[in-house]
């Protein structure tokens, strides 16, 4: 076996025991690693009947085969579990340094099951692991926890930590890696908290062999590295971060504004864009382990009421979630919101989106100050939001408890027509690219395996003309507000998204490569023996498995849709009047994917990808049918 | 005829200016203007954005009417109009 260790660490938190499970090489070839491997392990080792926060539920961290290669963008790793926010397959990807360190400890993945009687943390060293008491850390924020553990064990230990939000059961709790990188989406931190697991530390010294070290070195130095470093995409985010092009995107109508009710707000990029950040609060940039792109800003605010010391800064999604979505033009305030969420351990995207939903509800009179401790959230009122964030994490007070549910559950709680302000799919609030600008995004969000997501697929990049894959039939220029080719594009790039999230390869560098180059990378690194067809088949297998998990947990084709607010046209900007034609795109997509008109896979489809056991569960069916 | 192009966001930073006015022949298309723009002023752009050897922009670069639709390369330009150069790459 190459690039992978073949070993999975299984931890029973109830019993306080650990064991090592060995996997066959074929499992990696079929599920790659990362998110694909996590879904496979959940299916094989987990209790499908368990609720997201039941002790029997499993939480899995998995690395990818490229983790030790030093290639740009390959130190990411995945977390997978049934999401407490959505109830379906929850997956999150994190940059940083923990993935390679886990591999250095001799494990490709960690499977966590059960619930410790008292708070604990997991310490992983080469081939061994132990559970240790964490009662002193319980209640600490993620930065304090990380500092505490590094002081105790040394800086060479890499740390994953949850904050108070996850301890308190906020369903969009995040997990922080060394204070700078986050599993933000879908509440993976909350699952960790439900197990009374405060943190994981890891340090190892192993290094799996590569299948063809010389071939890989030649490929990397001669082809992949120059291609990535010359990529205009990588160079742009390297220079100005992920919010680099906010001005352009705002003009196009791609940046959600005022909870997706406006098509443009041209004042915003002057203060909120990556260019503005580089002129104001940005003091430097950081990258993930081994990555030369270094797209992550470091910021400091020297004066004024948002003064803060140097700390990891907000990225595009957070800038939109706490900036344009709330009509807040202050980048400094966004930086404070970002820092608070990171320390408290909350997903900035769900948190900001839920607050934006609440602002709409206040404006419509559905939420009234007199019913919520006199608090009123108003567009642009960022100071009230900053005061509210710690209370959301603590679930303290009526309004905070409501917002701590996430927008979909909160809307179900208050009713009164508040559903019309929702911006999610399957309970996961949409990322900050507007499907009314690029219709394919709408389809991609609706059929993403974890709910509205733009990194489960590459549809947004395809639609922007940022990528082309002639070997996969995707070399056309797409028209933004059209259904043409969108089903094909979403289908193929969903497979590519599954491949990237399973290889744990960041999209910025990975999309600089051609399909044959990706195949060659897998083969020289891990010896998977792929050709284009078998690599893409692995992506499709993973997508189907993750979607089926959602269906087993109650999702249906009816859930392949977008929140009502996104399906409402704006009256201004370049997207005025545009609403994606979801019906046409979905019909074409189901047909291309081998799905029935009700969105469920046919038995033939599952058989084709070797998912017979899943087919059995689906047919038994009771859940989700 | 005369058209004005606006360079916004990162494209404007790379160009070092916020826009330019071009004299183009009657009946010129969006594709013609992009070629003209590239050949005349884009030596300063990174190679990934303007391929000087082959004389073409990155495939994502397009033109749009300000406040209006994105143009196909074959769309004919109108005298006096304002156009936006779209460079849609962004992070997430």
């Amino acid at each position: 076996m190459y690039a992978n260790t073949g070993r999975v660490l299984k931890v029973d938190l109830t019993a306080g025991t650990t064991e090592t499970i060995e996997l066959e090489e074929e499992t990696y070839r079929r599920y790659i690693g990362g998110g694909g491997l996590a879904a496979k392990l959940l299916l094989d080792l987990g209790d499908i009947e368990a609720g997201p926060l039941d002790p029997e539920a499993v939480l899995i961290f998995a690395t990818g085969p490229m983790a030790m290669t030093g290639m740009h963008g390959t130190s990411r790793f995945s977390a997978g579990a049934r999401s407490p926010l959505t109830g379906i397959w929850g997956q999150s990807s994190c940059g940083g340094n923990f993935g390679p360190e886990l591999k250095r400890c001799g494990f490709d993945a960690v499977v966590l099951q059960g619930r410790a009687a008292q708070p604990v943390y997991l310490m992983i060293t080469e081939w061994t692991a132990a559970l240790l008491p964490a009662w002193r850390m319980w209640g600490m924020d993620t930065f304090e926890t990380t500092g505490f553990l590094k002081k105790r064990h040394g800086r060479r230990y890499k740390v994953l930590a949850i904050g108070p939000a996850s301890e308190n059961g906020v369903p969009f709790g995040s997990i922080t890696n060394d204070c700078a990188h986050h599993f933000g989406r879908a509440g993976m931190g909350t699952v960790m908290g439900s197990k009374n697991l405060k943190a994981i530390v890891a340090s190892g010294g192993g290094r799996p062999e590569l299948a063809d070290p010389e071939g890989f070195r030649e490929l990397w130095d001669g082809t992949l590295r120059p291609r990535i470093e010359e990529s205009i995409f990588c160079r742009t985010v390297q220079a100005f971060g992920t919010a680099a092009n906010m001005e352009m995107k705002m003009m196009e109508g791609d940046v959600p504004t005022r909870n997706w009710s406006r098509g443009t707000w041209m004042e915003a990029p002057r203060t909120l864009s990556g260019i503005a950040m580089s002129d104001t609060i940005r003091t430097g940039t950081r990258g993930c382990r081994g990555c030369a792109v270094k797209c992550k800003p470091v910021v400091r605010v020297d004066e004024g009421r948002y003064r803060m010391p140097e700390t990891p800064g907000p990225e595009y999604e957070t800038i939109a979630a706490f900036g344009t979505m709330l009509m807040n033009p202050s980048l400094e305030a966004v930086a404070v919101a970002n820092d608070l969420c990171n320390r408290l351990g909350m997903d900035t995207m769900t948190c900001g989106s839920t607050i934006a939903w609440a602002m709409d509800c206040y404006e419509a009179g559905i939420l009234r100050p007199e019913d919520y401790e006199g608090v009123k959230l108003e567009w642009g009122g960022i100071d009230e939001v900053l005061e509210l964030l710690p209370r959301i994490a603590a679930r303290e007070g009526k309004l905070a408890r409501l917002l701590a549910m996430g927008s979909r559950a909160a809307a179900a709680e208050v009713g009164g027509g508040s559903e019309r302000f929702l911006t999610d799919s399957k309970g996961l609030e949409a990322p900050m690219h507007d499907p009314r600008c690029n219709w394919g995004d709408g389809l991609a969000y609706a059929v993403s395996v974890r709910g509205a997501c733009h990194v489960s697929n590459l549809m947004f990049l395809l639609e922007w003309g940022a990528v082309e894959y002639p070997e996969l039939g995707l070399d056309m220029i797409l028209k933004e507000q059209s259904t043409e080719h969108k089903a094909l594009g979403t289908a193929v790039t969903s497979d590519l998204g599954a491949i990237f999230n399973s290889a744990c390869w960041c999209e910025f560098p990975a999309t600089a490569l051609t399909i044959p180059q990706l195949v060659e990378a897998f083969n020289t690194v891990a010896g998977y023996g792929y050709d284009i067809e078998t690599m893409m088949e692995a992506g499709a297998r993973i997508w189907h498995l993750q979607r089926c998990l959602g269906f087993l947990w109650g999702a249906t084709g009816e859930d392949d849709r977008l929140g009502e607010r996104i399906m409402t046209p704006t009256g201004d900007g370049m997207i005025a009047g545009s609403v994606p034609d979801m019906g046409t795109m979905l019909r074409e997509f189901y047909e291309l994917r081998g799905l029935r008109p009700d969105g469920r896979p046919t038995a033939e489809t599952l058989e084709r990808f070797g998912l017979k056991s899943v087919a059995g569960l689906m047919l038994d069916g009771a859940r989700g049918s | 005829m005369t058209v004005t192009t606006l360079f916004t966001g990162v494209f404007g930073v790379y160009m070092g200016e916020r826009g330019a006015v071009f004299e183009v022949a009657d009946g010129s298309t969006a594709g013609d203007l992009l070629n003209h723009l590239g050949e005349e002023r884009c030596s300063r752009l990174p190679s990934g954005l303007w391929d000087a050897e082959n004389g073409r922009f990155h495939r994502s670069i397009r033109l749009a009417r300000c406040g209006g639709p994105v143009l196909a390369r074959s769309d004919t330009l109108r005298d006096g109009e304002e156009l936006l150069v779209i460079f849609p790459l962004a992070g997430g």
Side-chain angles (χ1 to χ4, degrees):
Chain A
M1 188 175 300
Y2 298 106
N4 297 302
T5 67
R7 281 185 296 274
V8 172
L9 174 67
K10 185 166 186 240
V11 181
D12 183 335
L13 286 131
T14 305
T17 58
T18 65
E19 63 175 309
T20 300
I21 295 169
E22 301 207 344
L23 298 181
E24 292 176 359
E25 199 168 349
E26 183 63 8
T27 303
Y28 293 91
R29 205 181 74 81
R30 291 168 62 79
Y31 295 94
I32 301 176
L37 184 62
K40 172 66 173 161
L41 290 170
L42 189 147
L43 183 71
D44 290 350
L45 304 175
D47 178 350
I48 293 286
E49 301 282 347
L53 303 182
D54 290 346
E56 296 77 21
V58 295
L59 170 64
I60 297 155
F61 296 98
T63 65
M66 314 291 184
M68 295 294 296
T69 61
M71 284 194 287
H72 304 330
T74 57
S75 68
R76 298 190 75 82
F77 62 124
S78 296
R82 185 176 183 188
S83 164
L85 182 67
T86 65
I88 62 168
W89 171 248
Q91 181 177 311
S92 195
S93 170
C94 179
N97 55 32
F98 192 91
E101 204 62 38
L102 184 60
K103 193 84 88 174
R104 283 163 67 87
C105 292
F107 300 107
D108 298 318
V110 181
V111 177
L112 302 156
Q113 196 160 22
R115 177 181 294 153
Q118 299 292 328
V120 294
Y121 70 100
L122 177 66
M123 183 176 180
I124 307 173
T125 53
E126 249 174 292
W127 294 42
T128 63
L131 289 166
L132 301 167
W135 59 268
R136 286 182 65 187
M137 288 177 276
W138 204 253
M140 285 184 184
D141 73 29
T142 60
F143 285 29
E144 291 165 342
T145 304
T146 302
F148 181 92
L149 287 167
K150 284 193 180 275
K151 191 172 175 192
R152 174 179 282 184
H153 296 292
R155 298 202 66 78
R156 71 190 169 92
Y157 276 83
K158 313 307 178 202
V159 179
L160 293 183
I162 60 166
S166 293
E167 294 174 13
N168 295 326
V170 175
F172 45 92
S174 63
I175 304 169
T176 299
N177 173 204
D178 278 7
C179 302
H181 314 274
H182 309 274
F183 285 111
R185 305 240 70 190
M188 298 295 98
T190 316
V191 182
M192 192 161 148
S194 75
K195 300 187 173 307
N196 271 332
L197 181 63
K198 177 69 177 175
I200 305 177
V201 298
S203 177
R207 177 176 284 275
E209 277 181 57
L210 303 188
D212 176 5
E214 280 180 28
F216 166 70
R217 186 50 54 195
E218 200 174 309
L219 177 69
W220 173 242
D221 287 335
T223 308
L224 306 190
R225 178 155 62 185
R227 235 185 124 87
I228 291 168
E229 291 176 1
E230 280 298 304
S231 150
I232 188 64
F233 198 1
C234 292
R235 289 174 68 160
T236 298
V237 295
Q238 183 177 48
F240 300 109
T242 52
N245 222 1
M246 182 184 257
E247 184 185 11
M248 176 76 262
K249 304 308 286 181
M250 181 60 88
M251 275 194 169
E252 269 189 293
D254 188 54
V255 185
T257 300
R258 205 178 191 272
N259 195 33
W260 301 72
S261 66
R262 279 179 58 169
T264 188
W265 182 30
M266 282 316 300
E267 292 80 6
R270 288 181 201 146
T271 51
L272 294 176
S273 75
I275 296 168
M277 190 192 293
S278 69
D279 289 339
T280 54
I281 63 173
R282 196 178 79 173
T283 56
T285 60
R286 285 177 73 165
C288 300
R289 184 167 169 161
C291 184
V293 178
K294 297 193 191 311
C295 63
K296 303 189 176 195
V298 178
V299 299
R300 189 181 68 231
V301 180
D302 289 327
E303 51 194 27
R305 66 182 186 277
Y306 304 122
R307 190 173 173 202
M308 63 191 293
E310 194 165 77
T311 192
E315 298 191 43
Y316 169 73
E317 297 289 334
T318 303
I319 294 172
F322 281 98
T324 57
M325 283 278 280
L326 309 184
M327 299 300 285
N328 160 46
S330 167
L331 184 59
E332 291 82 358
V334 172
V336 173
N338 179 62
D339 188 56
L340 275 170
C341 284
N342 291 345
R343 289 172 187 270
L344 297 165
M346 295 193 290
D347 176 22
T348 54
M349 293 163 71
T350 286
C351 193
S353 295
T354 304
I355 290 167
W357 165 85
M359 286 181 176
D360 252 328
C361 290
Y362 273 106
E363 190 175 56
I366 298 167
L367 297 181
R368 300 182 307 171
E370 54 268 37
D371 295 332
Y372 291 93
E373 303 119 346
V375 179
K376 183 170 188 188
L377 298 177
E378 293 179 291
W379 304 112
I382 193 66
D383 290 345
E384 290 75 15
V385 170
L386 297 179
E387 280 176 26
L388 192 57
L389 292 177
R391 298 215 301 277
I392 292 174
R395 299 175 87 162
E396 184 186 286
K398 192 177 173 189
L399 179 62
R401 280 198 304 276
L402 178 72
L403 302 183
M405 298 167 82
S407 63
R408 179 154 286 279
E413 174 90 2
V414 300
S418 62
E419 300 85 358
R420 69 182 185 273
F421 305 131
L422 289 174
T423 62
D424 68 308
S425 178
K426 301 184 179 78
L428 189 67
E429 291 76 6
M432 303 299 154
H433 298 292
D434 196 324
R436 294 167 297 194
C437 182
N438 291 284
W439 285 10
D441 264 355
L443 177 63
Y445 291 179
V447 300
S448 158
V449 291
R450 69 173 184 180
C453 173
H454 66 309
V455 290
S456 296
N457 52 73
L458 312 181
M459 193 58 212
F460 70 120
L461 297 175
L462 188 74
E463 238 167 355
W464 296 347
V467 295
E468 60 179 327
Y469 296 109
E471 300 84 356
L472 306 176
L474 298 180
D475 55 357
M476 64 290 271
I477 296 285
L478 298 177
K479 197 164 183 295
E480 293 80 2
Q481 288 148 27
S482 155
T483 60
E484 193 180 15
H485 305 304
K486 301 301 169 70
L488 175 67
T490 301
V492 174
T493 66
S494 291
D495 296 344
L496 275 174
I499 291 166
F500 288 162
N501 284 315
S502 300
C504 300
W505 204 340
C506 174
E507 285 182 0
F508 293 155
T511 51
L513 308 181
T514 67
I515 295 298
Q517 287 164 355
L518 290 171
V519 169
E520 204 178 342
F522 275 116
N523 292 340
T524 55
V525 168
Y528 283 175
Y530 282 156
D531 54 23
I532 292 176
E533 191 181 343
T534 48
M535 181 183 78
M536 295 306 295
E537 200 175 279
R541 178 181 299 113
I542 292 162
W543 184 87
H544 279 289
L545 171 58
Q546 293 172 343
R547 180 174 168 90
C548 284
L549 287 171
F551 272 60
L552 287 167
W553 288 323
T556 72
E558 288 294 307
D559 298 308
D560 291 340
R561 60 181 178 80
L562 301 176
E564 203 175 322
R565 174 47 75 70
I566 302 179
M567 294 300 289
T568 305
T570 67
D572 62 336
M574 285 175 72
I575 61 168
S578 166
V579 175
D581 177 355
M582 295 298 290
T584 300
M585 292 191 291
L586 268 173
R587 269 193 304 278
E588 291 177 14
F589 179 82
Y590 282 5
E591 202 174 316
L592 280 169
R593 290 305 258 179
L595 305 176
R596 303 185 328 202
D598 65 358
R600 293 168 69 83
T602 64
E604 295 76 30
T605 300
L606 294 182
E607 198 152 327
R608 181 177 155 217
F609 295 109
L611 296 171
K612 257 183 159 175
S613 63
V614 182
L617 288 169
M618 297 283 285
L619 292 174
D620 283 345
R623 288 151 308 195
S625 60
Chain B
M1 62 182 184
T2 304
V3 292
T4 302
T5 56
L6 304 180
F7 310 141
T8 61
V10 172
F11 191 83
V13 172
Y14 285 140
M15 289 294 285
E17 56 189 332
R18 297 287 290 178
V21 177
F22 290 94
E23 284 293 329
V24 295
D26 284 355
S28 290
T29 64
D32 295 334
L33 178 59
L34 281 176
N35 291 342
H36 183 62
L37 168 67
E39 283 156 14
E40 188 179 290
R41 311 175 81 99
C42 289
S43 57
R44 66 196 86 170
L45 291 182
S47 57
L49 197 50
W50 169 250
D51 177 355
E53 199 173 316
N54 296 301
R56 64 180 175 222
F57 275 111
H58 186 277
R59 69 195 298 274
S60 65
I61 297 279
R62 279 172 264 184
L63 287 175
R65 295 207 161 94
C66 285
V70 178
L71 300 177
R73 288 183 68 88
S74 57
D75 285 342
T76 307
L77 304 180
R78 300 172 194 154
D79 186 28
E81 71 181 337
E82 262 196 349
L83 300 161
L84 183 62
V85 178
I86 293 195
F87 170 49
L89 300 197

